[in-house]
């Protein structure tokens, strides 16, 4: 399977790249090239900034089976991803955050039924807006999305 990681050198994404390699997947990372990774030539590297026109579209030309996006933080980021990867990938995985869950919490345990509502942190509000846009793209356009909310 061809997996494109957008990011791929951070605290959460680096171990995910390692796991994908261990599973035998063909891995490409797209990032700004500011951090190194320990994988050498086992990982194909694309250097670019998602905010620059054409960057995501160029990455989509390889038609990855899966895109895992660790660095979409604002709704405009996912708009660009939807435009670039619609019809060009089998699955787009958006890495959100548990910060999106309701604050202050009304239940001691968060589940997928916990409301997305965090008025305390702009980062969380942006992730919530990203999720809402991706869900709408899935419902209206069939965009293949999975949302993951890691806690750290």
């Amino acid at each position: 399977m061809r997996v494109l990681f957008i990011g791929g050198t951070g605290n959460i994404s680096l171990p995910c790249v390692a796991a994908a390699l261990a599973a035998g997947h063909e891995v490409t990372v797209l990032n700004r090239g500011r951090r190194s990774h320990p994988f050498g030539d086992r990982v194909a590297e694309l250097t670019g900034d998602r905010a620059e026109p054409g960057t995501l579209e160029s990455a989509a030309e390889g038609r990855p089976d899966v895109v895992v996006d660790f660095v979409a933080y604002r709704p405009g980021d996912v708009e660009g991803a939807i435009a670039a990867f619609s019809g060009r990938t089998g699955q787009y995985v958006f890495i959100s955050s548990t910060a999106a869950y309701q604050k202050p919490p009304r239940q001691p345990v968060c589940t997928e039924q916990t409301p997305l509502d965090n008025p305390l942190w702009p980062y969380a509000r942006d992730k919530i807006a990203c999720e809402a846009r991706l869900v709408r793209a899935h419902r209206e356009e069939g965009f293949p999305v999975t949302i993951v909310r890691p806690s750290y």
Side-chain angles (χ1 to χ4, degrees), residues 50 67 69 72 78 81 85 89-94 134 143-146:
R50 74 177 311 131
V67 175
D69 194 344
V78 297
F85 297 110
T89 190
Q91 195 66 31
Y92 173 84
V93 180
F94 173 67
L134 288 163
F143 186 68
V145 64
T146 298

Side-chain angles (χ1 to χ4, degrees), residues 33-147:
R34 294 182 180 166
R35 292 185 188 174
S36 62
H37 61 78
F39 307 115
D41 62 0
R42 295 187 307 149
V43 170
E45 296 182 67
L46 300 174
T47 302
D49 188 331
R50 74 177 311 131
E52 293 296 321
T55 299
L56 293 180
E57 290 78 5
S58 291
E61 288 175 5
R63 294 199 176 262
D65 298 304
V66 177
V67 175
V68 186
D69 194 344
F70 284 90
V71 293
Y73 301 113
R74 289 170 294 284
D77 297 338
V78 297
E79 285 294 343
I82 292 165
F85 297 110
S86 286
R88 295 183 187 99
T89 190
Q91 195 66 31
Y92 173 84
V93 180
F94 173 67
I95 306 301
S96 187
S97 171
T98 57
Y101 287 124
Q102 186 176 55
K103 303 291 185 289
R106 295 199 179 120
Q107 301 291 329
V109 176
C110 285
T111 69
E112 289 191 11
Q113 285 69 45
T114 301
L116 301 180
D117 179 29
N118 185 341
L120 306 174
W121 194 8
Y123 166 82
R125 290 193 303 271
D126 283 342
K127 285 290 195 174
I128 293 166
C130 288
E131 288 192 31
R133 175 60 184 108
L134 288 163
V135 168
R136 194 169 80 246
H138 175 70
R139 287 186 180 145
E140 294 174 3
E141 305 158 34
F143 186 68
V145 64
T146 298
I147 296 170

